[in-house]
């Protein structure tokens, strides 16, 4: 395969089972979808994050500046590569067995092959522009994952991005993290640094609220390991009955509820589209219960701090079902993100590498 001067490898969940260590040794910057984030050590020098509408700023920059994109098992969804996708002057090679997904990109060169077999046969580039690697590293070093200014605590509230940085210190070698849709999802995937065999799962860009709790139950039954469930207050309301399942089976699930007055992401969508706020918070007709009292009514332990959360065990020394509530400011923004403007009633998105809030890197 012919490589460019500024190549990147885009890994997706379809590459699970491929020899990732072989790709790590090719000297090519690696980006992933959210679903593939746990396939590679996030602190590996050739890993530069996950791009997307709510991706990591540096990953978006590198994706935009590359001249050659090798996508392996990655369907290049809107959530991952934006509405515009690769530029017309970027060469795109897609290793995928689904012709329908590849057909979305007329400029793509299609390699219809199993991802693991492709990686086994793939030769490293004979030359990669040194300045390209230097630039990628420089961009990564210039922007912290928790950006100052945009991610400060407000009043009595905790900023979810800063909370994720604290949560990072409590992760175990084999932690399994499940996130819901919405704000808890964005801050977790932008900030947490995963190292295999740690696992991190979400519904991706499907956006179905309420998915985290049943997914955590499935993961607990499948592995009998500690499960960390990150869920918003609005999302938890869609599957409250699953608290009974967790309590009944004494599943090792640690539930962290991010309470921000309802549906934070929907509020922002309504605001950005100049719509009247409707059914997304207390002021517009929606309220949530006291989750601490609710959890206790199901027989689930409750705690106030991360230290307590990760100390709780049952008499058999297994992890006890536990819930912790984190109060977010109702107006906390989830950034960086690729923002849009309304022009003649249509959403026109900013350039993929120019995320909001604007920041020169």
């Amino acid at each position: 395969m012919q490589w460019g001067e500024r190549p990147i490898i885009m890994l997706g969940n379809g590459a699970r089972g491929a020899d990732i260590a072989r790709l790590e040794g090719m000297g090519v910057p690696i980006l992933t979808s959210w679903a593939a984030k746990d396939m590679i050590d996030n602190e590996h020098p050739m890993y530069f994050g996950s791009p997307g509408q709510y991706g990591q700023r540096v990953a978006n920059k590198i994706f935009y500046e590359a001249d050659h994109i090798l996508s392996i098992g990655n369907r290049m969804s809107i959530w991952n590569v934006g509405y515009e996708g690769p530029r017309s002057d970027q060469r795109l090679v897609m290793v995928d067995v689904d012709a329908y997904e590849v057909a979305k990109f007329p400029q793509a060169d299609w390699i219809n092959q199993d991802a693991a077999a492709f990686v086994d046969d793939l030769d490293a580039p004979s030359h990669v522009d040194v300045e390209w690697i230097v630039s990628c590293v420089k961009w990564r070093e210039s922007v912290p994952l928790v950006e100052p200014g945009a991610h400060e605590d407000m009043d009595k509230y905790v900023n979810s991005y800063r909370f994720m940085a604290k949560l990072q210190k409590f992760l175990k070698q084999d932690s399994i993290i499940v996130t819901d849709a919405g704000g808890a999802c964005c801050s977790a995937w932008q900030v947490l640094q995963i190292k295999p065999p740690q696992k991190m799962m979400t519904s991706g860009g499907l956006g179905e609220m309420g998915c985290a709790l049943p997914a955590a139950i499935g993961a607990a039954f499948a592995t009998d390991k500690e499960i960390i469930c990150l869920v918003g207050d609005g999302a938890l309301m869609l599957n409250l009955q699953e608290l009974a399942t967790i309590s009944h089976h004494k599943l090792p699930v640690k539930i962290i509820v991010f309470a921000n007055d309802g549906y934070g992401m929907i509020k922002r969508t309504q605001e950005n589209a100049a719509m009247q706020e409707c059914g997304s918070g207390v002021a517009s007709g929606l309220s949530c219960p006291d989750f601490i009292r609710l959890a206790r009514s199901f027989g689930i332990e409750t705690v106030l701090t991360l230290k307590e959360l990760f100390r709780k065990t049952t008499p058999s020394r297994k992890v006890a079902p536990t819930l912790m509530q984190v109060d977010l400011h109702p107006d906390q923004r989830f950034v960086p993100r690729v923002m849009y403007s309304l022009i003649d009633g249509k959403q026109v998105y900013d350039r993929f590498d120019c995320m909001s809030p604007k920041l020169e890197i």
Side-chain angles (χ1 to χ4, degrees):
M1 189 187 75
Q2 295 294 320
W3 294 85
E5 289 290 300
R6 303 188 308 279
I8 59 171
I9 296 172
M10 283 283 290
L11 288 179
N13 195 54
R16 200 171 291 274
D19 187 352
I20 304 302
R22 193 164 192 274
L23 295 176
E24 292 172 343
M26 290 190 174
V28 177
I30 299 174
L31 305 178
T32 66
S33 65
W34 279 4
K37 181 181 172 75
D38 61 1
M39 289 167 51
I40 184 172
D41 183 348
N42 290 184
E43 294 185 348
H44 189 281
M46 294 311 296
Y47 180 66
F48 292 89
S50 299
Q53 293 294 102
Y54 283 93
Q56 293 163 319
R57 191 184 296 272
V58 171
N60 279 27
K61 174 74 171 177
I62 291 172
F63 179 87
Y64 186 83
E65 296 291 344
D67 67 356
H68 184 286
I69 302 167
L70 172 59
S71 169
I72 306 176
N74 185 329
R75 67 186 180 93
M76 307 282 281
S77 71
I78 290 171
W79 192 252
N80 194 193
V81 303
Y83 282 86
E84 298 300 322
R87 302 190 317 273
S88 59
D89 60 331
Q90 288 176 300
R91 186 187 177 205
L92 173 61
V93 177
M94 293 185 70
V95 181
D96 202 300
V97 295
D98 191 337
Y100 176 80
E101 296 296 344
V102 179
K104 296 176 183 178
F105 302 93
Q107 77 271 37
D109 293 327
W110 182 26
I111 298 179
N112 183 9
Q113 186 178 4
D114 174 77
F118 173 82
V119 171
D120 288 342
D121 294 337
L122 180 64
D123 292 326
S126 58
H127 170 75
V128 175
D129 184 6
V130 174
E131 288 302 315
W132 169 237
I133 304 301
V134 170
S135 294
C136 290
V137 173
K138 177 183 174 183
W139 294 329
R140 179 172 59 194
E141 292 177 347
S142 68
V143 182
L145 290 173
V146 181
E147 298 181 6
H151 300 316
E152 299 298 328
D153 295 338
M154 294 184 287
D155 302 325
K156 62 181 180 179
Y157 299 101
V158 175
N159 185 284
S160 61
Y161 291 82
R162 295 168 66 85
F163 178 87
M164 294 303 172
K166 295 176 181 178
L167 175 62
Q168 178 78 53
K169 301 174 183 177
F170 289 90
L171 298 184
K172 297 179 180 178
Q173 182 180 3
D174 60 350
S175 287
I176 298 175
I177 304 144
V178 180
T179 75
D180 215 287
C185 176
C186 292
S187 51
W189 289 85
Q190 286 178 333
V191 173
L192 292 180
Q193 297 290 281
I194 303 302
K195 182 182 180 69
Q198 293 172 338
K199 297 292 185 183
M200 195 165 176
M201 299 181 290
T202 188
S203 65
L206 298 178
E208 65 275 32
M209 291 182 291
C211 65
L213 212 56
I217 291 171
F221 276 119
T223 66
D224 199 31
K225 293 181 180 178
E226 173 181 289
I227 311 299
I228 302 169
C229 177
L230 307 178
V231 59
D233 50 2
L236 182 55
M237 288 296 290
L238 298 181
N239 271 317
L240 283 177
Q241 73 280 359
E242 301 298 2
L243 292 175
T245 305
I246 289 173
S247 177
H248 177 85
H249 293 281
K250 296 181 172 57
L251 297 178
V253 178
K254 296 182 181 298
I255 305 164
I256 302 177
V257 183
F258 294 89
N260 63 351
D261 183 34
Y263 302 127
M265 296 288 281
I266 294 177
K267 285 183 192 177
R268 300 287 79 79
T269 299
Q270 292 172 342
E271 177 186 278
N272 295 335
M275 299 167 60
Q276 179 180 349
E277 183 180 318
C278 179
S280 55
V282 172
S284 58
L286 174 78
S287 60
C288 294
D290 182 331
F291 290 105
I292 297 298
R293 293 173 62 189
L294 184 66
R296 289 172 181 168
S297 74
F298 279 103
I300 294 175
E301 297 281 350
T302 62
V303 297
L304 298 176
T305 67
L306 281 170
K307 184 176 291 187
E308 291 177 291
L309 181 67
F310 285 91
R311 192 174 58 225
K312 278 286 183 183
T313 58
T314 61
S316 64
R317 307 310 297 168
K318 280 192 174 184
V319 176
T322 315
L323 181 142
M324 173 183 176
Q325 179 171 315
V326 180
D327 293 325
L328 309 186
H329 195 287
D331 291 327
Q332 180 194 308
R333 267 50 176 175
F334 298 98
V335 292
R337 63 164 296 183
V338 179
M339 194 57 184
Y340 62 84
S341 302
L342 288 177
I343 300 178
D344 295 330
K346 295 182 179 179
Q347 295 179 353
V348 178
Y349 280 84
D350 292 341
R351 215 172 70 180
F352 193 62
D353 63 328
C354 298
M355 303 184 78
S356 178
K358 304 300 183 184
L359 179 64
E360 292 295 329
I361 61 174

